[in-house]
Amino acid sequence: MNAQRRTHRNRRSTRAAATALATLLALGAAACSSKATGGDGSGEAGAGGVKTGDGVTDKTIPIGALTDRTGVYATLGKSVTQAQQLYVKQTNAAGGICGRKLSLTVRDHGYDPQKAVAAYTELEPKVLGFAQFIGSPFVASVDQRIRSDKALVIPQAWSADLLGNPYVRVIGSTYDLETINAIDFLMKEKGLKKGDKLGHVYFEGDYGENAVAGSRHMAKKSGLTVVEQKIKPTDNDMSAQVVALKKAGVKAVVISAGPRQAASLVGVAAASGLEVPVIGNNSAYAPQLLATQAGPALEKMYYVSTPSLPIGGDAEGPRKLAKDYAKAYPKDALDNGVVAGWTATDAFAQALKRACKAKDLTREGVGKALLTMDDYDSGFGAQTFSDPDAPTSTESVIIRPDKGAKGGSSVVREAGTAEEAKDFTPGKD
């Protein structure tokens, strides 16, 4: 790691520590984590001569899930959680891992920072690690504690600010890389060209700031001008942003927000005559939006840059998961939250299997095992976990809303990395 990157990461760590400290002080004594119920954390040998600790017993491997079932990402949280519950059920039915059954304990933080930190504080002593943690700001706020606790966290968040911690592993390209790949698609296939203005509507905080860094990089490389519109997660009506973007004369728009904001932006833009291509980061789409008034406009104007194949893909991985999930949850829609939840749990499980072979089911043992996974593919795209300073992939798949497709989306460009992304360091100022 070069000096500039170390300095940048130190700044991020300082900000994360300060955020965590302020929140934890508000939570009081509850923020003080005590180690291991159900496992003494000592790394003593258990069944099969395997070292255990931090909740692991001779019968159970406990895993935590910190989700959003009632906030801005409620749709995503439901799909992610149900996919993970399905994975645990199927794994246990097949005999479990290392002679032990998996257990998944879920807590809903409602996309509230205090609730997220409180939920982490509650579960951390009881679980080996976390296969779900929605909300990059919340993961970042406990970054220093995760480093100390050594509890593996595989978040449903793609901020480059999460890189560098060996116990927090982002699956897929980070938001900045994802945005560069998205703009590459706009320029190669949707008519955006040098000299044009590109709108970017984004959440305040590290998700949006990370994504807009990708736009700024691409603008320098490709001769674009970025017209920025920063919003809050509580802003649901994008009328003012559309007026500003139309007045500026943008030829395309990137949105780094939630599904509600994306639907509002596209719907209002279509109604006001701003009929330009709009592309979102992977967190900015849910197929349930196709049933809203914005549905027709989304199918006509909207695209999404994602880190993996969609649930409706033709490959074996998506087809099997779609079939299994539909059987388990016949009343619920298929969406890419299912993919995110499944792949995170599978990556965690594969690390557990490798740790078992090394006879070390401690947190340190599982973390070391994950670093050996440089050829991982659960059927949704190849990933490399050997470098904590880098995302597991730099590729993005471009999809579009499609009411007639399984999962409400279809692939319009296969996985790839833009040339402009190859000399870009995620998280770099």
Side-chain angles (χ1 to χ4, degrees):
M1 187 188 306
N2 60 39
Q4 183 180 16
R5 192 166 179 181
R6 280 198 301 271
T7 300
H8 179 69
R9 185 149 292 128
N10 288 339
R11 286 202 305 271
R12 294 203 313 263
S13 297
T14 301
R15 292 196 301 266
T19 303
L21 178 60
T23 307
L24 296 177
L25 287 174
L27 291 173
C32 298
S33 169
S34 60
K35 285 293 173 195
T37 60
D40 61 10
S42 63
E44 294 181 357
V50 178
K51 289 192 295 182
T52 62
D54 299 294
V56 179
T57 70
D58 288 347
K59 296 182 178 180
T60 306
I61 301 174
I63 301 172
L66 304 177
T67 193
D68 178 8
R69 296 292 293 269
T70 53
V72 66
Y73 288 113
T75 301
L76 172 69
K78 180 180 180 181
S79 299
V80 170
T81 300
Q82 290 186 166
Q84 295 187 327
Q85 290 168 333
L86 175 62
Y87 188 98
V88 168
K89 181 179 180 180
Q90 291 183 341
T91 300
N92 289 342
I97 294 175
C98 208
R100 296 161 171 83
K101 297 296 179 70
L102 301 181
S103 67
L104 186 71
T105 303
V106 181
R107 293 291 182 269
D108 173 25
H109 58 56
Y111 213 73
D112 178 280
Q114 286 197 341
K115 290 180 180 178
V117 176
Y120 176 86
T121 299
E122 177 206 350
L123 291 189
E124 181 274 317
K126 305 174 184 178
V127 300
L128 185 61
F130 297 85
Q132 182 183 170
F133 201 155
I134 288 179
S136 53
F138 312 146
V139 183
S141 73
V142 291
D143 177 82
Q144 294 301 314
R145 290 179 60 188
I146 294 170
R147 292 173 186 269
S148 175
D149 298 331
K150 299 181 179 179
L152 178 62
V153 176
I154 301 183
Q156 286 64 47
W158 292 266
S159 171
D161 285 359
L162 302 180
L163 300 178
N165 184 336
Y167 297 99
V168 178
R169 302 312 304 276
V170 176
I171 297 183
S173 55
T174 47
Y175 291 125
D176 43 14
L177 286 169
E178 191 174 76
T179 302
I180 292 171
N181 291 335
I183 299 170
D184 177 68
F185 167 75
L186 292 175
M187 297 194 75
K188 288 181 177 176
E189 302 189 33
K190 293 297 155 184
L192 186 67
K193 61 184 184 300
K194 181 178 180 180
D196 284 346
K197 292 182 179 179
L198 171 71
H200 196 143
V201 180
Y202 61 98
F203 276 164
E204 62 184 8
D206 58 349
Y207 163 25
E209 295 290 349
N210 185 215
V212 82
S215 282
R216 293 167 185 162
H217 173 80
M218 198 63 168
K220 290 179 182 178
K221 290 286 186 177
S222 303
L224 302 171
T225 299
V226 182
V227 180
E228 299 181 15
Q229 294 286 306
K230 184 186 294 188
I231 62 174
K232 297 178 180 179
T234 52
D235 295 337
N236 292 320
D237 182 358
M238 297 295 102
S239 297
Q241 287 72 33
V242 169
V243 169
L245 294 174
K246 186 176 181 181
K247 183 178 181 180
V250 301
K251 300 300 182 182
V253 181
V254 176
I255 181 162
S256 306
R260 296 174 188 171
Q261 289 79 15
S264 176
L265 177 73
V266 174
V268 173
S272 65
L274 182 61
E275 295 189 0
V276 298
V278 180
I279 193 164
N281 290 97
N282 75 83
S283 301
Y285 177 63
Q288 291 83 352
L289 298 176
L290 292 172
T292 69
Q293 290 184 338
L298 288 168
E299 288 192 282
K300 182 180 180 181
M301 298 168 52
Y302 194 47
Y303 303 87
V304 184
S305 183
T306 77
S308 63
L309 290 172
I311 189 65
D314 293 329
E316 181 181 353
R319 283 191 288 107
K320 184 180 186 307
L321 179 55
K323 180 180 178 181
D324 290 349
Y325 189 86
K327 182 178 179 180
Y329 306 104
K331 295 182 180 180
D332 293 317
L334 287 165
D335 60 34
N336 288 337
V338 178
V339 176
W342 182 271
T343 54
T345 316
D346 185 68
F348 202 112
Q350 298 310 314
L352 289 175
K353 291 176 182 179
R354 295 191 182 206
C356 179
K357 288 182 180 180
K359 294 190 179 299
D360 190 354
L361 280 180
T362 63
R363 288 176 174 175
E364 292 91 336
V366 176
K368 289 178 181 178
L370 187 72
L371 290 172
T372 68
M373 291 169 53
D374 57 3
D375 56 353
Y376 168 77
D377 190 342
S378 66
F380 293 88
Q383 312 290 333
T384 299
F385 287 91
S386 56
D387 183 4
D389 291 329
T392 62
S393 172
T394 62
E395 294 185 335
S396 299
V397 178
I398 307 299
I399 63 173
R400 69 176 304 160
D402 184 347
K403 199 171 185 178
K406 185 186 301 180
S409 64
S410 55
V411 175
V412 295
R413 191 170 81 169
E414 300 293 337
T417 303
E419 284 296 323
E420 292 82 359
K422 294 179 180 178
D423 64 348
F424 178 80
T425 302
K428 183 179 178 181
D429 285 336

